[in-house]
């Protein structure tokens, strides 16, 4: 208790460090003057032999030393880090002050002051000042060792949230060089009490005050069970402090096996957090448990998360269909580690290869298929790769759906995108065409339920702005945003994958399901949040506007003007009521013509897409 009290006291006076340091040094200059007389004249004469003007000389020397110490920057030094560099500054200041003082005394013909006192006084001053600083450092390191078990103070933290998660987190870090100064909590019943021996200092909104008062280096947000709005508020307060911000894992992460003391940096997903969706776990389990499930694009951002979500429900067999060897290896290793009882089939395959798809479906006879294989990078598909986008996203969907129908798959789910609505780019148009292909397949293959799930951007997926912003911030900027007003809908990868799995369980054939993405997010605001969360200011890492890219919209849409939605029994999962869709025979004829075209220039592909999708309005500027 004594050491914590001492630490609190030293922390409270830290803002006044320079003034206190200068005052203590001035006291030492006066004491050193008396000690020099005592050393030179002995106990008998050290007081009586002084001239009458000695007090005035001493006052002048104290002011002179204070001035020299200030000019040499000694009061601004941090005593707990005192070393040879600090001693050098003190030596320079004492030597200069001693020399000037001696010259002034001699020039004033103050012969009553012994010359030996003038010569020895700077030495006594230097020794006493250095000993005071080194003594403080020894005391401070001893105090650190008694409090945290380590004499090295690397982190001084405030913890937001004095609940069970916070206590467990603090217990896990206190003996690793961390000094937890106090808690912040909005619960009035916890005010002015101690939790785990650490004081609750005040409410969350007083963070800035206590950061300045206690010399805080880190803020820890320990509120995994709080309402999403409360958690977002705490994270926003923490990020505005300009300090390193850490958080305990969220409830979702804790359920997946992470320990509460495993602190991590704040991610943009934390700021997005919404109320968790209440899924129909029984219906999903009935749909997936004991079944064979095939996932195309199994190694991609959405595909890999779908694999994890499906594996939770105990499928009989999980067939991973992926064209990237490395991505297939990564998801296979992850699933083997976390779901060792799930039987995996790892297949290198391409959805553009109909024969291989047919062979795969006939061999493994999956009951449920999630089609996540797609090219999704808008600018990349817009220039020189239009045919590749349509061949993979549209024809690939047709191939996978046809192979599924021929083998008797019960449910086939296409992962679509908000860019399919009033598309202005080839990628979005190719996905809208894929939705129409699925509608056609639903009309001619009654034995399989074909459905699509349409949603916006997922945070952290490959090709998204999040990894790009992180790289740019790590390089020191600038962070490039295409337009100051551009907005996007965002969802976390696990949230999107869970709703896709739910759609598979309740979906009816021919339906397009739309995920409620919440409110759109301004990309420039996201960039600013990420800069602050990384511990930088927006004037340190600049934001640069680069202009809209070909095919890019300012605002994405989840529905066309003529579409409406119907609710389902699951929150944030709605049915899009599509109107004015092409006839099935028109879609089929268009598909055959597209297959016969082969590799063609981009403009030919755009004309073909416009013939099927009148709403497709290419934007090349």
């Amino acid at each position: 208790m004594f050491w914590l009290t001492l630490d609190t006291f030293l922390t409270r006076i830290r803002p006044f460090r320079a003034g206190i340091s200068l005052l203590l040094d001035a006291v030492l200059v006066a004491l050193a003057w008396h000690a020099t007389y005592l050393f030179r004249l002995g106990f008998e004469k050290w007081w009586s032999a002084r001239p009458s003007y000695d007090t005035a000389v001493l006052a002048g020397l104290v002011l002179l030393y204070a001035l020299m110490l200030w000019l040499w920057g000694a009061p601004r030094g941090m005593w707990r880090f005192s070393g040879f560099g600090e001693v050098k500054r003190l030596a320079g200041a004492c030597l200069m002050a001693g020399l000037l003082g001696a010259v002034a005394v001699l020039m004033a013909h103050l012969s009553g002051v012994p010359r030996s006192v003038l010569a020895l006084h700077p030495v006594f001053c230097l020794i006493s000042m250095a000993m005071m600083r080194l003594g403080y450092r020894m005391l401070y390191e001893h105090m650190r060792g008694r409090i945290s078990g380590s004499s090295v103070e690397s982190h001084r933290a405030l913890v937001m949230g004095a609940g069970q998660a916070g206590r467990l987190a603090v217990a896990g870090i206190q003996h690793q060089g961390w000094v937890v100064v106090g808690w912040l909590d909005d619960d009035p019943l916890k005010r002015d009490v101690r939790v785990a021996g650490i004081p609750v200092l005040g409410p969350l909104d007083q963070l800035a005050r206590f950061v300045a008062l206690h010399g805080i280096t880190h803020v820890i947000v320990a509120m995994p069970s709080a309402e999403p709005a409360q958690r977002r508020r705490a994270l926003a307060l923490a990020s505005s402090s300009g300090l390193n911000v850490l958080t305990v894992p969220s409830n979702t992460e804790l359920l997946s096996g992470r320990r509460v003391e495993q602190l991590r940096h704040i991610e943009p997903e934390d700021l997005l957090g919404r109320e968790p969706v209440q899924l129909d776990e029984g219906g999903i389990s009935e749909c997936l448990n004991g079944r064979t499930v095939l996932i195309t694009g199994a190694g991609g951002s959405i595909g890999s998360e779908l694999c994890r979500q499906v594996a939770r429900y105990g499928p009989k067999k999980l067939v991973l269909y992926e064209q990237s060897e490395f991505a297939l290896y990564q998801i296979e290793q992850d699933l083997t580690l976390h779901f060792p009882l799930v039987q995996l089939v790892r297949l290198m395959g391409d959805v553009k290869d109909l024969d291989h798809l047919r062979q795969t479906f006939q061999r493994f006879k999956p009951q449920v298929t999630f089609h996540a294989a797609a090219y999704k990078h808008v600018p990349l598909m817009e220039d020189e790769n239009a045919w590749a986008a349509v061949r993979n996203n549209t024809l690939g969907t047709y191939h996978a759906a046809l192979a599924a129908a021929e083998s008797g798959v019960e449910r086939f789910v296409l992962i679509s995108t908000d860019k399919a609505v009033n598309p202005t780019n080839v990628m979005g148009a190719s996905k809208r065409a894929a939705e129409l292909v699925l509608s056609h397949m639903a009309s001619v293959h009654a034995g399989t339920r074909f459905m699509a799930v349409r949603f916006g951007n997922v945070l952290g997926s490959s090709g998204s702005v999040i990894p790009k912003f992180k790289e740019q911030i790590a390089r020191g900027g600038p962070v490039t945003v295409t337009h100051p007003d551009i907005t996007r809908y965002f969802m976390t990868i696990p949230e999107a994958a869970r709703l896709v799995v739910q759609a598979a369980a309740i979906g009816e054939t021919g339906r397009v399901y739309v995920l409620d993405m919440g409110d759109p997010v301004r990309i420039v605001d996201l960039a600013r949040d990420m800069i602050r969360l990384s511990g930088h200011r927006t004037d340190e890492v600049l934001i640069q506007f680069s202009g809209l890219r070909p095919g890019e919209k300012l605002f994405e849409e989840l529905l066309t003007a003529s579409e409406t939605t119907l609710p389902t029994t699951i929150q944030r999962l709605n049915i899009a009521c599509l109107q004015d869709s092409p006839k099935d025979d028109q879609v089929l004829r268009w598909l055959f013509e597209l297959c016969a075209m082969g590799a063609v220039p981009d403009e030919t592909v755009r004309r073909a897409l416009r013939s099927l999708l009148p709403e497709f309005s290419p934007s090349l500027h």
Side-chain angles (χ1 to χ4, degrees), residues 39 77 107 197 218 255 338 369 406 448 468 535 544 547 558 609:
F39 177 79
M107 289 180 65
H218 289 71
L255 290 173
H338 294 100
T369 296
E406 291 173 350
T448 301
K468 177 184 174 184
Q544 194 174 79
L558 290 170
L609 287 168

Side-chain angles (χ1 to χ4, degrees), residues 369 371 397 400-401 404 410-414 438 448-451:
T369 296
H371 180 51
T397 298
E410 296 174 11
R411 302 166 194 261
F412 183 99
V413 183
L414 165 68
L438 225 60
T448 301
R449 295 187 193 180
F450 291 99
M451 63 204 79

Side-chain angles (χ1 to χ4, degrees), residues 3-15 20 214:
W3 297 108
L4 284 172
T5 304
L6 178 60
D7 178 63
T8 301
F9 171 73
L10 293 176
T11 302
R12 287 183 181 277
I13 66 175
R14 185 169 293 161
I20 294 173
H214 293 283

Side-chain angles (χ1 to χ4, degrees), residues 26 100 143 148 193 275 332 371 393 396 424 437 574:
L100 293 175
M143 181 181 66
S148 65
V193 301
E275 291 284 352
E332 183 258 346
H371 180 51
N393 295 354
T424 60
V437 165
N574 301 312

Side-chain angles (χ1 to χ4, degrees), residues 174-194:
Q174 268 188 318
H175 299 291
Q176 302 173 13
W178 287 80
V179 177
V180 179
V181 173
W183 309 93
L184 298 178
D185 200 293
D186 286 335
D187 186 353
L189 298 177
K190 294 178 180 176
R191 301 285 165 76
D192 302 319
V193 301
R194 287 183 174 268

